[in-house]
């Protein structure tokens, strides 16, 4: 008769455990469906979508480059054009307008977009204000329950796992020790063994539920394939120049020096870089009198 008792107990516990797993699956699947439907219905403004991917500066630089406000050389140095120096001409959108004003504050000395993005406080503040205003318009997106901040429930779950393990060990020992006799006992013993096997794989089934219903970064998945129209309109060379300028976050290029982000200066000329970066200053050297060269030759 012990086999019958064991079978009833084991199958009851197994049904309870898998019932809880099934309820968890159903709840998580419902929340996941709600999250994905809500995110899919969102209509992002292009710069907001870029900001959510930390690409607002790149998008603004692309728009200013296409609009003829600035030029970016192969080393990532940003140079204002005549249109960019005309203060009456400013983009309508606040993000490229803030970036253009930041470049104007450094004119006529070139600067990288990455340096502005990291160290220009006024630009960072205006970009942050735009991001905050747009984020406030987003609906509240449900979060998948992960157990964080619910210590009592987590403690109860740990106690339940320990009790289940103890029950499994005791039931297995009793099933091995009790030799079945007759067809009924063999059938009940087989049922108890199947129940114990099911309990053994319950933890894997629970992890499978978490993996199949995971919804870690729905916004990132939604925005991953979206590109800002200005970025998409760049040709290959322009794209490389913009990326190089945005990724150069540690240096500010002065007239005759390269300055690290922490303020250390390097007074040595970079002969491979500066002629391209300061091509518009070449005209200044043409205004020097010829007498200076003659005096030098005479000496």
């Amino acid at each position: 008769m012990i086999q019958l008792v064991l079978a009833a107990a084991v199958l009851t516990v197994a049904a309870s455990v898998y019932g809880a797993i099934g309820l968890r699956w159903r709840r998580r699947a419902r929340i996941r469906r709600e999250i994905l439907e809500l995110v899919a219905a969102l209509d992002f403004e292009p710069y907001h979508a870029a900001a959510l991917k930390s690409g607002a500066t790149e998008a603004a630089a692309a728009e200013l480059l296409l609009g003829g406000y600035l030029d970016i050389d192969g080393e990532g140095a940003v140079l204002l054009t005549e249109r960019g120096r005309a203060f009456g001409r400013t983009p309508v959108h606040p993000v490229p307008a803030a970036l253009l004003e930041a470049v104007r504050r450094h004119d006529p000395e070139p600067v990288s977009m990455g340096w502005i993005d990291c160290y220009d406080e006024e630009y960072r503040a205006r970009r942050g204000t735009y991001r905050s205003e747009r984020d406030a318009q987003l609906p509240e997106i449900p979060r998948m329950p992960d157990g964080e901040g619910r210590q009592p429930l987590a403690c109860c779950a740990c106690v339940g796992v320990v009790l289940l393990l103890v029950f499994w060990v005791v039931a297995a020992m009793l099933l091995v020790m009790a030799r079945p006799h007759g067809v009924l006992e063999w059938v009940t013993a087989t049922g108890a063994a199947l129940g114990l096997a099911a309990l053994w794989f319950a933890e894997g089934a629970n992890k499978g539920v978490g993996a199949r219903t995971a919804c870690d970064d729905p916004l990132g998945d939604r925005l991953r394939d979206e590109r800002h129209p200005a970025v998409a309109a760049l040709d290959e060379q322009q794209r490389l120049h913009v990326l190089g300028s945005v990724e150069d976050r540690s240096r500010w290029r002065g007239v005759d020096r390269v300055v690290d982000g922490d303020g250390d200066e390097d007074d040595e000329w970079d002969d491979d870089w500066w002629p391209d970066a300061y091509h518009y200053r070449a005209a200044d050297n043409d205004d020097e009198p010829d007498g200076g060269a003659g005096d030098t030759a005479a000496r």
Side-chain angles (χ1 to χ4, degrees), residues 4 9 14 16 20 22-23 40 54 67 104 111 118 123 125 138 159 173 177 186 210 224 228 233 237 239 243 252 258:
L4 180 60
S16 300
L23 291 176
S54 301
R104 284 171 175 171
V111 65
C118 288
Y123 168 71
L138 290 176
V159 172
M173 291 178 60
M177 293 170 54
W186 274 108
R224 183 167 292 112
H228 191 278
Q237 183 179 18
R239 185 181 66 84
L243 287 178
W252 170 69
V258 176

Side-chain angles (χ1 to χ4, degrees), residues 2 30 33 41-42 46 84 87 138 146 155 179 205 228 230 238 252 258 296:
I2 190 173
R30 175 179 56 80
R33 183 170 59 253
L42 293 176
F87 284 88
L138 290 176
D146 52 10
C155 291
R179 184 180 296 276
H228 191 278
Q238 291 174 330
W252 170 69
V258 176
T296 302

Side-chain angles (χ1 to χ4, degrees), residues 117-232:
D117 189 56
C118 288
Y119 301 108
D120 193 295
E121 297 298 333
E122 183 175 347
Y123 168 71
R124 288 168 59 88
R126 293 177 62 179
R127 187 192 61 194
T129 300
Y130 166 78
R131 169 74 181 270
S132 300
E133 292 175 352
R134 284 292 176 176
D135 286 348
Q137 299 177 11
L138 290 176
E140 184 177 356
I141 299 176
R143 294 188 60 183
M144 188 67 69
D146 52 10
E148 293 185 1
R150 304 170 66 181
Q151 284 79 8
L153 182 60
C155 291
C156 291
C158 291
V159 172
V161 171
V162 172
L163 293 177
L164 182 61
L165 181 60
V166 172
F167 170 80
W168 192 95
V169 172
V170 172
M173 291 178 60
L174 292 175
L175 186 62
V176 171
M177 293 170 54
R179 184 180 296 276
H181 299 283
V183 177
L184 179 60
E185 290 186 1
W186 274 108
V187 171
T188 54
T190 302
L194 292 176
L196 290 175
L199 288 175
W200 180 263
F201 294 104
E203 179 64 20
N206 189 49
K207 291 182 179 179
V209 168
R212 289 177 177 271
T213 58
C215 193
D216 298 328
D217 187 17
L219 283 177
D221 296 338
R222 165 75 164 74
L223 299 172
R224 183 167 292 112
D225 296 330
E226 291 194 9
R227 300 180 66 188
H228 191 278
V231 176

